[in-house]
Amino acid sequence: MLDLNEVRMFVQVVRARSFAEAARRLGVPPNTLSRRVRRLEAGLDTRLMQRSTRKLTLTAAGSAFFERCAPAVDGVLDAGKELAGVSQTAGGTVRIAAPADFLDFFKIEWVMQFLALHPKVRLDFVLNDARADLIGEAIDVAFRGGSVSDQQSVFRRLMPQSVVLVASPAYSRSRGNPKTLEELSRHDCLTVSGRPGPVTWTLHGPGGREEVKVNGRFRANSARSLIMGCLAGLGIALMPEILIAAHLHAGRLVRVLPDYRREGADLNVILPTSQQIPTAVSAFVEFAAGKLQSIIGQQSPKPAPKVRRR
């Protein structure tokens, strides 16, 4: 098989009209260049050039070979230069896997801002609570919640997060606020759809790890629906901070039992590989990281208002 690098060397020697000049242009020793061209001739079983101390002359076969190879070599080099230039500019399609409610807290205005900054980039969001097969679904980057130990290929942990208890001010006024974790069992709590009956919530508080069985009259299989129920005053919910940060900041939700929380809801960026990350992917990860971290940073949690139990 032909060594394409040796073909490139042969083309350069012909254009430079000497091994010494071609070696200088290529940055290799002249004897190395001469040896590689001789090896090319041996592989082709054809003499391509006649060498003398004063000049270099192509054979008929060498001239024909040069005419056929030179444009191809130039095309490969030009393609490499073009690709290298493109790799420094964000462009192409970035497929992003994220939870179904990702665009509830990652503002669409931010998407518009990123696209304005990178006019050659297209964003393709694959929103699903199920974990995507990054390779099988051609995903470039995934945003996933969970502890770092649960991830097999965490590229970057964007932020440590906790899951906290929240309720609407209306619910707190009508039902009062639990003073202990055990009192949650006497409140309406919003839980994920599943088996009927009480659900066990495990949280960390002043006394360490504690459990409480909770129940309620509203369940749903998505965080978005549980937040809507919580905002409507249907009960107390246990939600990741990033999902309810804006509602806490605006006072639409308030913290309940603020000394209790569940750890391990970290938001992570997952990549199919850590090698040769496209510029567009890196640009989106950096942009998204700044925006997502600002959500928690601007949050000023409000405790549940003190009300008397009726």
Side-chain angles (χ1 to χ4, degrees):
M1 294 179 64
L2 285 178
D3 185 322
L4 297 182
N5 200 39
E6 291 176 352
V7 175
R8 180 176 70 94
M9 291 179 175
F10 164 73
V11 170
Q12 190 65 264
V13 169
V14 175
R15 285 179 170 161
R17 299 184 179 182
S18 78
F19 279 91
E21 176 60 20
R24 187 188 67 78
R25 295 179 184 180
L26 293 172
V28 298
N31 60 342
T32 298
L33 189 58
S34 179
R35 184 175 66 253
R36 297 293 293 273
V37 172
R38 283 199 300 270
R39 192 162 71 180
L40 173 65
E41 291 176 317
L44 294 171
D45 195 23
T46 302
R47 180 172 288 277
L48 298 175
M49 56 181 63
Q50 301 290 350
R51 304 164 179 82
S52 70
T53 56
R54 292 189 176 185
K55 65 178 182 177
L56 180 152
T57 305
L58 288 177
T59 64
S63 180
F65 188 69
F66 174 80
E67 293 298 328
R68 291 288 302 274
C69 291
V73 169
D74 291 341
V76 171
L77 294 176
D78 288 343
K81 291 176 182 178
E82 181 179 341
L83 185 59
V86 170
S87 68
Q88 301 303 313
T89 303
T93 299
V94 179
R95 279 176 58 83
I96 305 155
D101 50 15
F102 185 75
L103 292 180
D104 288 356
F105 56 89
F106 191 86
K107 300 177 182 179
I108 199 67
E109 291 84 357
W110 295 345
V111 174
M112 295 172 62
Q113 183 181 347
F114 177 81
L115 292 176
L117 290 171
H118 304 282
K120 295 184 179 180
V121 175
R122 296 180 298 276
L123 300 181
D124 182 0
F125 284 92
V126 181
L127 303 180
N128 196 316
D129 287 333
R131 292 195 172 186
D133 177 357
L134 272 62
I135 302 298
E137 298 180 42
I139 299 297
D140 295 302
V141 57
F143 294 87
R144 290 178 180 168
S147 63
V148 173
S149 60
D150 294 336
Q151 311 293 348
Q152 296 181 348
S153 55
V154 173
F155 168 69
R156 179 173 176 181
R157 185 175 71 162
L158 287 181
M159 64 185 76
Q161 277 198 98
S162 299
V163 182
V164 298
L165 295 162
V166 293
S168 70
Y171 179 87
S172 294
R173 287 193 297 269
S174 66
R175 294 290 301 274
N177 298 319
K179 294 181 174 59
T180 66
L181 194 64
E182 191 276 331
E183 286 185 22
L184 278 178
S185 61
R186 298 192 288 274
H187 279 263
D188 283 325
C189 292
L190 312 183
T191 58
V192 178
S193 298
R195 292 180 299 177
V199 172
T200 300
W201 280 353
T202 303
L203 298 102
H204 284 81
R209 182 174 179 272
E210 297 183 48
E211 293 183 350
V212 60
K213 289 187 180 296
V214 299
N215 212 337
R217 295 183 294 164
F218 181 82
R219 295 188 180 196
N221 65 347
S222 74
R224 180 186 302 168
S225 298
L226 292 173
I227 291 173
M228 291 173 61
C230 194
L231 289 167
L234 295 180
I236 298 172
L238 183 62
M239 302 300 302
E241 289 177 295
I242 194 170
L243 297 184
I244 44 84
H247 296 303
L248 287 172
H249 186 68
R252 293 186 293 268
L253 294 177
V254 293
R255 289 285 300 275
V256 173
L257 295 173
D259 291 336
Y260 286 88
R261 61 181 56 231
R262 179 190 295 165
E263 304 297 341
D266 302 342
L267 185 62
N268 306 297
V269 175
I270 315 296
L271 298 179
T273 177
S274 60
Q275 303 297 318
Q276 296 181 325
I277 302 170
T279 302
V281 173
S282 297
F284 183 76
V285 168
E286 292 302 318
F287 179 87
K291 295 299 185 183
L292 292 171
Q293 289 166 351
S294 73
I295 296 176
I296 298 299
Q298 72 183 2
Q299 177 186 333
S300 54
K302 299 181 181 181
K306 294 182 179 180
V307 296
R308 293 183 180 179
R309 191 183 305 276
R310 294 180 178 179

